[in-house]
Amino acid sequence: MSTPTGKPKDPKQRSIVDMFPPKARGAGPTPGSDSSKRKRSEDTSSGSSNTAAHVVQPSASTSTLAGSKAASSGADSASTCADIGSLSPHADSLSTAPPSLADIASPSFVVATEGSCSRADIAVTVSRDADDPSNTSTFLDSAECSFNPDVEDCSSRIGMFDDPPTGACSPDISLLGESTSSSWLQSDNSMQMCLAEQGIPRRSPAPNLDDSVVTDLSPNPCSDPVQPKLPTYPVTGSRKFNGDYKTYPWVEYSVLNDKVYCFACRHFGSNSGGGGRARGNVPFVDLGFAKWEKTRCSLKMHSDSDKHKSSVVAWADFKRVQQTTGPHHSIVSMLEKVGDQEIEENRQHVLQLLKVVCVLGRQGLAFRATDESQDSHNKGNFIAILRLLSDNNELLKVKMARRYGHYTSPEYQNDMISVVANLIRQNIVRKVTKHFAVLVDETKDISHKEQMSFVIRFVDQDGNIQEKAMGCYHMEKLDASSLAAAIDKSVRNAGLDWKNCVAQCYDGASVMSGCFNGVQAKIKEIAPQAVYIHCHAHRLNLALVQTITNIQTVKDFFSTLQAVYVFLSQSSPRHELFVKAQTESGLEVQELERLCGTRWFYWYACVKKIQARFETIIVVLSVIESSQQRDKQACSEARGLLRNMQCFEFLLTLLSMEAILKKIRVLSDELQRKHLDLPDASHLIQVTRTALVNLRQECHWVKIVNDATELAEKCGIETVEDHDRRALPVRQHQLSSKLKEYLVGTTVGKRPGHYEHSEDRMPQTERIKQEVFFCTLDRFVRELDARFIDNMGLIKAAGMFNPRAKNFLEDSSADLLARHYLGPQVDYAALHSGLDTARGYLSGKTLAGIHSVRYYLNESPRGFSDVLNLLDLVLALPITTATNERFFSCLKRVKNYLRNRCGDNRLSDLLVMACEPMEVDEVNLSDAIERFADMRHRKYPLKR
């Protein structure tokens, strides 16, 4: 048979006409032939037709062919599962409960036409009343009929005719003037209600064009054969199914296909077709049977076949097992139980692996070893801990003994590390209430890769300030565009919105802080409200370094301290001598500190330890100097260090620097704290500045001189030099009280020529006080004022929530913050009203700081919502990038010389786990297992 276009028909494509027996289609000429044309003209005049169309199925809606095609994809797997009695692949999609009347929608008729025809060629005449044939209605294709374009090239068309009649009817289908009377079983509503009364649900509303997939039959071996009893069955070629289920109880009938099937062979038969039939084309199993004129002999022949008898025996055995052991102990249930048990065992195994991953990642320990082969004695920490746990875990022991399926390869390790790290990041982002700030810094790792650390600062739901590490990223380029793009990618990958970013905090490098082409300028193009805040800790360190390097006496003093550290620490014999000297003196052994240009805290620690062990250092240097026969170079170095240290000027400088650095140490420690807020930081800077200015008072210098004299007497150092014993000036001049807070570098109040050599005549203590102590104080105060002046307007406005500030809850400061961050959508009248109420509400409270203010205002969150929004915004403003520095310290531990080949993604995930140990403890390992299972196809299943 060829298509109307003349092309040979693809044997794989079956039209709907081919699915029906020849008698059902009617014997007639081939469409398109001359005899067909003559017959058509004759039938047009006579009003009769042999074959024009066939009613395939009543449908609840205008369903398309796609539903049947999608369902046919599981036909092969259905026949495979039939032997072992497993569930049909369609069992999950089929409902077994009888539908309610509400589920039966307005029906439609599906009409299959033979031959190629246009949309306007079909008309359906339906009798609305079975008792009154004259009561008919005609449904034209142009108005109520729609065709499926998926069968455009086939020799059949499908039409969905809406608004069908109710009650039994017999539609008359007209094709190009030809009409044929095709008997129809009944309307869709009546048929579906009849099926519902028998407990047979409506399986699928779509036309079923593939006999290998039948959706209204028994879904699995545990169900009974579907044997609907209908008032009348569709007539095909003057024949129809007789509805006899008693003779052959294994018969089940498909209303959708108008065919009968064998329940036993469908669920318990073999996969092969046999008799030359291909798999998927077996009558009574895949294709069904609809040759009603041969029903009796065909059913008899099938019943006597050997394959059918084997299927019936298997069906009987299956029912006997169900009756004796119950439905929950059937083969299907047992297979499901075994599968569930295997999945549960695999999940328990992965759970143990994830626990080990969390422990190693939390502690920053290595996972792998150089050699992880079977013959290796050291396979790494990961496998070693699993072996240790398997001693008390039989399941883990069995899994680890297998050759495959233990999930310990590097690829699986990376998957599990990634899963845990991503869950940590999501938990962190989930804690962000609204506002956040980004903190970024860069450093080189041991493999000389530039790593950019990314940290976010936010306020959680409890009002606590949090700074959390989100990972590090390998930067191949360090220009502003590359860094800004990496920051933007990090924010978007975390699921954060740039509209809620309040600030960006970096160091003072030009590529980061440039106001035109720097990173801060490029980020402001994305988030204009994100102000740039130069790290306060870096500012403080720059102020100190700039002060020290510009005063020659102080610079030489710290060079001497560094030389002492190098001399006593880098040589093992000298170091042992230093330790022995402390032990013999009954002192606790202390190691000297080196000076670090980027971490000024080591400067204070170095000064403090030199002062505490000054006597011991002098003794050790004297011993080394006296042993000239051993190492002459060491003796020369010791002699030079003694000459610099055994003078009263060195002691005065030592105690002067100790007094200054001690005042700054508190500020430095606080600036490195995570939970410090911007108002408190500004207040601490002002307090430190005031404390430094107060050191100019004479009482502080007198104490320094007295302590230096006492230490000099213990070490045998002369306190007064020969030139200090010369006659002092007859007249002593005092500096004006108005100039006490200023550095005076001229002879104010002195008559010119009063002293012939004024510098030589000045006492040593007075010279050190002016040239070292006061000069360092004044220069450092000026550096503080110069380096902490940017963003002063915004910083002062942020101080409105500090109870000690003059602008506490001031309207103008609130307006400045609201205009910058919240824009015109703020209701300023409501904000001012909330501030007035807050001032009265907090007037009788004891307020220790901004957190106390938030605590009391949060008691009425709705009333103070606008004020609390501004307060949380201020708390999210960053102070320093100290968290990034701690991240780099963790980087040195995680990526050391033994782990210098760690991949970038793995390194970032491991650092997140190592830097956020508390977040690791909060990871839900069940969610981790689900994500690990969904990452890729696993050979050993973890979920259904």
Side-chain angles (χ1 to χ4, degrees), residues 122-155:
I122 298 178
V124 180
T125 303
V126 180
S127 299
R128 292 189 174 274
D129 191 348
D131 298 332
D132 185 7
S134 62
N135 187 5
T136 61
S137 296
T138 300
F139 300 87
L140 295 178
D141 172 62
S142 58
E144 292 92 3
C145 180
S146 61
F147 286 90
N148 193 330
D150 291 340
V151 293
E152 184 70 26
D153 295 333
C154 301
S155 61

Short mmCIF file of all heavy atoms in Angstrom, two decimals, residues 122-155:
data_model
loop_
_atom_site.label_atom_id
_atom_site.label_comp_id
_atom_site.label_asym_id
_atom_site.label_seq_id
_atom_site.Cartn_x
_atom_site.Cartn_y
_atom_site.Cartn_z
N ILE A 122 -14.30 16.79 6.40
CA ILE A 122 -14.93 15.86 7.33
C ILE A 122 -16.13 16.54 7.98
O ILE A 122 -16.07 17.69 8.39
CB ILE A 122 -13.94 15.40 8.41
CG1 ILE A 122 -12.78 14.65 7.75
CG2 ILE A 122 -14.63 14.51 9.43
CD1 ILE A 122 -11.74 14.20 8.72
N ALA A 123 -17.18 15.78 8.09
CA ALA A 123 -18.34 16.22 8.85
C ALA A 123 -18.87 15.02 9.60
O ALA A 123 -18.89 13.90 9.07
CB ALA A 123 -19.42 16.81 7.95
N VAL A 124 -19.28 15.20 10.81
CA VAL A 124 -19.78 14.12 11.63
C VAL A 124 -21.22 14.41 11.99
O VAL A 124 -21.52 15.46 12.56
CB VAL A 124 -18.93 13.94 12.91
CG1 VAL A 124 -19.48 12.79 13.73
CG2 VAL A 124 -17.48 13.66 12.55
N THR A 125 -22.09 13.48 11.69
CA THR A 125 -23.50 13.61 12.04
C THR A 125 -23.79 12.63 13.15
O THR A 125 -23.56 11.44 13.01
CB THR A 125 -24.40 13.32 10.83
OG1 THR A 125 -24.02 14.22 9.78
CG2 THR A 125 -25.85 13.52 11.19
N VAL A 126 -24.24 13.13 14.27
CA VAL A 126 -24.44 12.32 15.46
C VAL A 126 -25.90 12.39 15.87
O VAL A 126 -26.49 13.49 15.90
CB VAL A 126 -23.54 12.79 16.61
CG1 VAL A 126 -23.76 11.91 17.83
CG2 VAL A 126 -22.09 12.76 16.18
N SER A 127 -26.48 11.25 16.17
CA SER A 127 -27.85 11.22 16.68
C SER A 127 -27.84 11.58 18.15
O SER A 127 -27.17 10.92 18.96
CB SER A 127 -28.45 9.81 16.49
OG SER A 127 -28.50 9.48 15.12
N ARG A 128 -28.52 12.64 18.54
CA ARG A 128 -28.56 13.06 19.92
C ARG A 128 -29.53 12.21 20.75
O ARG A 128 -29.43 12.19 21.97
CB ARG A 128 -28.95 14.53 20.03
CG ARG A 128 -27.89 15.47 19.49
CD ARG A 128 -28.22 16.91 19.83
NE ARG A 128 -27.15 17.79 19.45
CZ ARG A 128 -26.09 18.06 20.22
NH1 ARG A 128 -25.99 17.48 21.39
NH2 ARG A 128 -25.16 18.89 19.80
N ASP A 129 -30.43 11.53 20.08
CA ASP A 129 -31.40 10.71 20.80
C ASP A 129 -31.44 9.35 20.13
O ASP A 129 -31.71 9.23 18.93
CB ASP A 129 -32.78 11.38 20.76
CG ASP A 129 -33.74 10.68 21.74
OD1 ASP A 129 -33.38 9.59 22.23
OD2 ASP A 129 -34.83 11.24 21.98
N ALA A 130 -31.15 8.30 20.91
CA ALA A 130 -31.11 6.96 20.33
C ALA A 130 -32.49 6.52 19.85
O ALA A 130 -32.63 5.73 18.92
CB ALA A 130 -30.56 5.96 21.35
N ASP A 131 -33.52 7.01 20.53
CA ASP A 131 -34.87 6.62 20.15
C ASP A 131 -35.41 7.43 18.99
O ASP A 131 -36.38 7.04 18.34
CB ASP A 131 -35.81 6.77 21.35
CG ASP A 131 -35.40 5.86 22.49
OD1 ASP A 131 -34.80 4.80 22.20
OD2 ASP A 131 -35.67 6.22 23.66
N ASP A 132 -34.83 8.59 18.73
CA ASP A 132 -35.32 9.45 17.66
C ASP A 132 -34.18 9.69 16.68
O ASP A 132 -33.36 10.61 16.88
CB ASP A 132 -35.83 10.78 18.23
CG ASP A 132 -36.45 11.65 17.15
OD1 ASP A 132 -36.61 11.17 16.01
OD2 ASP A 132 -36.78 12.81 17.47
N PRO A 133 -34.03 8.90 15.65
CA PRO A 133 -32.92 9.05 14.71
C PRO A 133 -32.91 10.38 14.00
O PRO A 133 -31.89 10.81 13.48
CB PRO A 133 -33.10 7.89 13.73
CG PRO A 133 -33.99 6.91 14.45
CD PRO A 133 -34.89 7.74 15.32
N SER A 134 -34.08 11.01 13.94
CA SER A 134 -34.12 12.30 13.23
C SER A 134 -33.46 13.43 14.00
O SER A 134 -33.14 14.46 13.45
CB SER A 134 -35.58 12.68 12.93
OG SER A 134 -36.31 12.83 14.15
N ASN A 135 -33.29 13.23 15.30
CA ASN A 135 -32.65 14.28 16.14
C ASN A 135 -31.15 14.14 16.02
O ASN A 135 -30.51 13.39 16.74
CB ASN A 135 -33.09 14.13 17.59
CG ASN A 135 -32.59 15.28 18.45
OD1 ASN A 135 -32.00 16.22 17.94
ND2 ASN A 135 -32.85 15.19 19.75
N THR A 136 -30.57 14.85 15.07
CA THR A 136 -29.14 14.72 14.79
C THR A 136 -28.48 16.09 14.83
O THR A 136 -29.14 17.13 14.73
CB THR A 136 -28.90 14.08 13.42
OG1 THR A 136 -29.47 14.91 12.42
CG2 THR A 136 -29.52 12.69 13.36
N SER A 137 -27.17 16.08 14.93
CA SER A 137 -26.36 17.30 14.85
C SER A 137 -25.12 17.00 14.03
O SER A 137 -24.58 15.88 14.10
CB SER A 137 -25.95 17.80 16.24
OG SER A 137 -27.09 18.18 16.98
N THR A 138 -24.69 17.94 13.27
CA THR A 138 -23.52 17.78 12.41
C THR A 138 -22.40 18.67 12.93
O THR A 138 -22.62 19.86 13.19
CB THR A 138 -23.85 18.14 10.96
OG1 THR A 138 -24.89 17.28 10.51
CG2 THR A 138 -22.63 17.98 10.07
N PHE A 139 -21.21 18.11 13.07
CA PHE A 139 -20.03 18.84 13.55
C PHE A 139 -19.05 18.96 12.40
O PHE A 139 -18.53 17.96 11.91
CB PHE A 139 -19.38 18.11 14.72
CG PHE A 139 -20.29 17.93 15.90
CD1 PHE A 139 -21.14 16.84 15.96
CD2 PHE A 139 -20.29 18.86 16.92
CE1 PHE A 139 -21.97 16.68 17.03
CE2 PHE A 139 -21.12 18.69 18.01
CZ PHE A 139 -21.98 17.59 18.06
N LEU A 140 -18.83 20.17 11.96
CA LEU A 140 -17.93 20.41 10.84
C LEU A 140 -16.50 20.57 11.36
O LEU A 140 -16.27 21.10 12.44
CB LEU A 140 -18.35 21.66 10.07
CG LEU A 140 -19.71 21.58 9.37
CD1 LEU A 140 -20.03 22.89 8.69
CD2 LEU A 140 -19.75 20.43 8.39
N ASP A 141 -15.59 20.14 10.52
CA ASP A 141 -14.18 20.22 10.92
C ASP A 141 -13.71 21.65 11.09
O ASP A 141 -12.91 21.95 11.94
CB ASP A 141 -13.31 19.52 9.87
CG ASP A 141 -11.83 19.72 10.11
OD1 ASP A 141 -11.37 19.29 11.18
OD2 ASP A 141 -11.17 20.35 9.27
N SER A 142 -14.24 22.55 10.26
CA SER A 142 -13.78 23.92 10.32
C SER A 142 -14.15 24.59 11.63
O SER A 142 -13.52 25.56 12.04
CB SER A 142 -14.35 24.72 9.15
OG SER A 142 -15.77 24.66 9.20
N ALA A 143 -15.18 24.11 12.29
CA ALA A 143 -15.63 24.77 13.51
C ALA A 143 -15.26 23.99 14.76
O ALA A 143 -14.78 24.55 15.73
CB ALA A 143 -17.15 24.97 13.47
N GLU A 144 -15.52 22.67 14.75
CA GLU A 144 -15.32 21.92 15.98
C GLU A 144 -14.24 20.85 15.87
O GLU A 144 -14.02 20.11 16.82
CB GLU A 144 -16.63 21.23 16.39
CG GLU A 144 -17.71 22.18 16.83
CD GLU A 144 -18.60 22.56 15.68
OE1 GLU A 144 -18.37 22.03 14.58
OE2 GLU A 144 -19.49 23.38 15.88
N CYS A 145 -13.56 20.72 14.75
CA CYS A 145 -12.60 19.63 14.56
C CYS A 145 -11.19 20.17 14.45
O CYS A 145 -10.97 21.19 13.82
CB CYS A 145 -12.95 18.85 13.30
SG CYS A 145 -11.83 17.47 12.96
N SER A 146 -10.27 19.51 15.12
CA SER A 146 -8.85 19.91 15.04
C SER A 146 -8.03 18.68 14.69
O SER A 146 -8.37 17.58 15.11
CB SER A 146 -8.37 20.49 16.36
OG SER A 146 -8.49 19.56 17.38
N PHE A 147 -6.95 18.87 13.93
CA PHE A 147 -6.13 17.76 13.49
C PHE A 147 -4.76 17.82 14.14
O PHE A 147 -4.27 18.88 14.50
CB PHE A 147 -5.98 17.79 11.96
CG PHE A 147 -7.22 17.37 11.24
CD1 PHE A 147 -8.16 18.30 10.89
CD2 PHE A 147 -7.45 16.04 10.96
CE1 PHE A 147 -9.31 17.92 10.25
CE2 PHE A 147 -8.60 15.66 10.31
CZ PHE A 147 -9.53 16.59 9.95
N ASN A 148 -4.16 16.70 14.25
CA ASN A 148 -2.80 16.59 14.83
C ASN A 148 -1.78 16.70 13.70
O ASN A 148 -1.78 15.86 12.80
CB ASN A 148 -2.65 15.26 15.56
CG ASN A 148 -1.40 15.24 16.42
OD1 ASN A 148 -0.41 15.88 16.11
ND2 ASN A 148 -1.47 14.49 17.50
N PRO A 149 -0.90 17.69 13.71
CA PRO A 149 0.06 17.82 12.61
C PRO A 149 1.14 16.76 12.62
O PRO A 149 1.89 16.64 11.68
CB PRO A 149 0.67 19.21 12.86
CG PRO A 149 0.53 19.41 14.32
CD PRO A 149 -0.74 18.73 14.70
N ASP A 150 1.25 15.96 13.71
CA ASP A 150 2.31 14.96 13.78
C ASP A 150 2.10 13.84 12.76
O ASP A 150 3.03 13.09 12.47
CB ASP A 150 2.37 14.36 15.18
CG ASP A 150 2.88 15.38 16.19
OD1 ASP A 150 3.50 16.36 15.73
OD2 ASP A 150 2.62 15.20 17.39
N VAL A 151 0.88 13.66 12.26
CA VAL A 151 0.61 12.58 11.30
C VAL A 151 0.32 13.15 9.92
O VAL A 151 -0.49 12.61 9.17
CB VAL A 151 -0.56 11.71 11.79
CG1 VAL A 151 -0.18 10.96 13.03
CG2 VAL A 151 -1.79 12.58 12.06
N GLU A 152 0.97 14.28 9.58
CA GLU A 152 0.68 14.97 8.32
C GLU A 152 1.00 14.08 7.12
O GLU A 152 0.27 14.07 6.14
CB GLU A 152 1.50 16.26 8.27
CG GLU A 152 1.23 17.12 7.04
CD GLU A 152 -0.14 17.73 7.12
OE1 GLU A 152 -0.65 17.91 8.26
OE2 GLU A 152 -0.72 18.01 6.06
N ASP A 153 2.11 13.32 7.21
CA ASP A 153 2.54 12.54 6.05
C ASP A 153 1.98 11.13 6.06
O ASP A 153 2.30 10.32 5.21
CB ASP A 153 4.07 12.47 6.02
CG ASP A 153 4.67 13.84 5.80
OD1 ASP A 153 3.98 14.67 5.19
OD2 ASP A 153 5.81 14.06 6.25
N CYS A 154 1.24 10.76 7.10
CA CYS A 154 0.67 9.42 7.15
C CYS A 154 -0.63 9.39 6.35
O CYS A 154 -1.21 10.42 6.00
CB CYS A 154 0.43 9.00 8.59
SG CYS A 154 1.95 8.99 9.57
N SER A 155 -1.10 8.19 6.13
CA SER A 155 -2.35 8.05 5.37
C SER A 155 -3.54 8.08 6.31
O SER A 155 -4.51 7.36 6.12
CB SER A 155 -2.31 6.73 4.59
OG SER A 155 -2.18 5.65 5.49
#
